[in-house]
Amino acid sequence: MKKNSAIHQVITLVKKDLTLELRQQYAFYGVLLYIVSTVFVINLMMGKPDDKLWNALFWVIQLFVAVNAVAKSFMQESRGRLLYFYSLVHPRVFIMAKLIYNIILMVLMSLIAMLCSIAFLGNPIANTGYFIGMVLMGGISLSLLFTMLAAIAAQANHNAALMAVMGFPLILPILMLLANISVSAFLTVYQPGLPKMFFLLGGMDILVVALTLILFPFLWKD
């Protein structure tokens, strides 16, 4: 019974965040404008890059999209509102709702970033289905990590600089893994070591979720 109640609370909080996003569409359009303008500027500066450069630029764009899209989910929550939620739901319920909401948001933004990149920078992708799967996996991985970082930064007086400093050493291995795995979408030959990289990426995602669920209740008490 208690488990069903927790699931219902998570769903309710996700719906709340989605409703707020639909009402405050300037935030969504702000990130959308960032994606389009960044890709367009890259097109003006270098035209249509080759496969490796296209792949690298795409994941760099994804990184900054994650910072802009996911970070605001905690930055927009005031101390009073967090205290109100603390009195209503368990901290793990709250952070699970944030994780799910940010996954939905980041997956949508990732697909938009991919379409914009193809439209402005050309389409060197040989295996489109594989690359779409990687974009979805990458969006989930980045959203999980930056949700954890945003939660920590929110407890430090909403210090966005703290999130950037903490995120740099943590995001590098995930970004390198995503870039290396997605290279296979541009090749017609099998890339050795691919299953191992997939397991490593999945393991890192599970570790981030576990750390978030363990640490957030202690952070929220402060």
Side-chain angles (χ1 to χ4, degrees), residues 21-53:
E21 190 67 47
L22 290 173
R23 288 179 181 174
Q24 302 171 356
Q25 292 185 4
Y26 63 86
F28 174 82
Y29 288 126
V31 179
L32 183 60
L33 177 62
Y34 172 83
I35 295 172
V36 174
S37 59
T38 302
V39 177
F40 181 68
V41 168
I42 291 173
N43 173 262
L44 291 178
M45 293 177 68
M46 60 178 57
K48 296 181 178 180
D50 59 26
D51 299 0
K52 288 185 177 180
L53 187 56

Side-chain angles (χ1 to χ4, degrees), residues 101-155:
Y101 164 73
N102 285 331
I103 285 173
I104 295 170
L105 180 63
M106 191 57 201
V107 163
L108 178 60
M109 291 296 180
S110 298
L111 292 173
I112 292 173
M114 185 191 74
L115 292 174
C116 289
S117 297
I118 290 173
F120 288 103
L121 304 179
N123 184 14
I125 304 168
N127 190 339
T128 306
Y130 176 87
F131 190 75
I132 291 173
M134 278 309 307
V135 169
L136 297 178
M137 282 188 66
I140 292 170
S141 297
L142 293 172
S143 68
L144 293 175
L145 178 58
F146 278 102
T147 300
M148 181 183 73
L149 295 174
I152 296 172
Q155 301 306 312

